[in-house]
Amino acid sequence: MENDKNQPVTLLKVGQQISQLLSTAPISARYLAFFAAASEQEACDEVEQKRDQWPSGVQQVLRGLDLAGLTTSSRIFHVPPSYYEWPLYQRALSMGAPSPAHLCKMVVMENKRWQPAHCKLGSSNGKQRNLRYIGVVVQYVETVNVSRMTDYVRTLSNNAIARNHFKFRLADEHTAQKLTGFAKNGVSPVGMQQHIPLVVCAAIQRLRPPVVWVGGGDVDFKLAMPVQSLLDSTQSMVADISDPAQ
């Protein structure tokens, strides 16, 4: 009985030690090499596993990976129903993630004060840009700083839209699913149904090893891929818009 009580503490210590070890440059490089090899092997194995039997949301992600040429450089993890009952360090250990900081989610933020006229205002690249909905990839150990997000999004229109025209909040589940094609806890930045601007929090770019876990299209599936592959395949913007969770 005493051993059972000590198990969470032991797992936490093990997880912390693994995280510290993997953050060093030589081990981080080896981890990336292992990740790449495992991705290639699993991509071959999926053919035998008849991936068309996976949930439709996961297939949507797989199609997105195929289009981006990332099938052999990403990994899909099928997690148990009890996954969300576990502490973050246990979730990370279960998938071989280097640390809880590598576990991320995508949320859809909506500007509740958006107006159609905003689309007519110029952006930083001279193109019209709809800033009503924005996807944000953020770590579970961080939270979105709405004030800094507002400041950043305003720069996308050369600050042509007054700050009092912004009020970013989480979009409701129905809206998020309509835009992305994914249900809650399965939202993935890869394979979205509609294109919306995507911002990756800057803290994710500093991860070592530089690999990230996000939603895999279904509540029971997770997608892992190199951070740079995520940025390149989704044409994401990177901004410092998150703070450590309390």
Side-chain angles (χ1 to χ4, degrees):
M1 183 67 70
E2 189 66 29
N3 288 338
D4 291 340
K5 291 181 180 180
N6 292 334
Q7 187 176 13
V9 177
T10 301
L11 285 175
L12 176 59
K13 289 183 178 179
V14 169
Q16 292 172 336
Q17 291 171 351
I18 292 175
S19 299
Q20 292 175 358
L21 179 64
L22 290 175
S23 66
T24 61
I27 305 301
S28 177
R30 291 187 181 183
Y31 182 92
L32 278 178
F34 164 78
F35 185 93
S39 299
E40 291 186 14
Q41 182 61 49
E42 289 169 8
C44 295
D45 292 344
E46 283 173 9
V47 176
E48 300 300 325
Q49 294 172 359
K50 298 182 178 179
R51 70 182 191 182
D52 59 343
Q53 295 179 2
W54 285 354
S56 60
V58 183
Q59 294 179 45
Q60 184 177 326
V61 171
L62 291 172
R63 288 192 293 272
L65 292 172
D66 288 341
L67 288 173
L70 297 175
T71 301
T72 59
S73 59
S74 58
R75 302 179 67 186
I76 297 287
F77 292 84
H78 189 184
V79 299
S82 58
Y83 175 84
Y84 285 100
E85 299 173 9
W86 299 346
L88 288 177
Y89 69 84
Q90 186 174 353
R91 299 182 200 179
L93 285 172
S94 72
M95 296 184 291
S99 76
H102 288 73
L103 306 183
C104 301
K105 59 185 174 181
M106 176 184 155
V107 296
V108 178
M109 304 294 290
E110 178 182 2
N111 179 10
K112 299 294 186 178
R113 294 175 180 167
W114 178 87
Q115 299 174 18
H118 293 166
C119 292
K120 299 178 182 179
L121 298 174
S123 69
S124 57
N125 59 9
K127 298 180 180 179
Q128 291 187 5
R129 191 185 294 242
N130 187 336
L131 302 177
R132 181 177 184 179
Y133 299 105
I134 295 182
V136 178
V137 180
V138 60
Q139 297 158 289
Y140 273 98
V141 296
E142 300 252 330
T143 57
V144 177
N145 184 308
V146 176
S147 179
R148 290 211 305 275
M149 177 180 174
T150 298
D151 290 340
Y152 175 73
V153 172
R154 288 189 65 223
T155 68
L156 301 179
S157 61
N158 290 324
N159 293 321
I161 306 174
R163 204 177 198 282
N164 61 3
H165 284 214
F166 288 91
K167 184 180 180 180
F168 280 110
R169 297 292 185 268
L170 285 174
D172 63 74
E173 290 182 26
H174 174 76
T175 299
Q177 184 166 357
K178 183 178 179 180
L179 290 169
T180 66
F182 304 117
K184 182 180 179 181
N185 289 331
V187 179
S188 175
V190 177
M192 285 192 289
Q193 194 162 286
Q194 299 183 40
H195 174 75
I196 59 174
L198 189 64
V199 178
V200 172
C201 293
I204 295 173
Q205 200 174 33
R206 296 191 290 268
L207 288 172
R208 293 294 179 270
V211 181
V212 64
W213 271 251
V214 292
D218 182 88
V219 64
D220 293 331
F221 287 78
K222 302 300 169 188
L223 167 66
M225 62 196 311
V227 173
Q228 194 59 50
S229 295
L230 170 65
L231 298 177
D232 292 343
S233 65
T234 60
Q235 297 182 323
S236 299
M237 298 169 279
V238 178
D240 182 13
I241 58 170
S242 67
D243 293 318
Q246 299 297 321

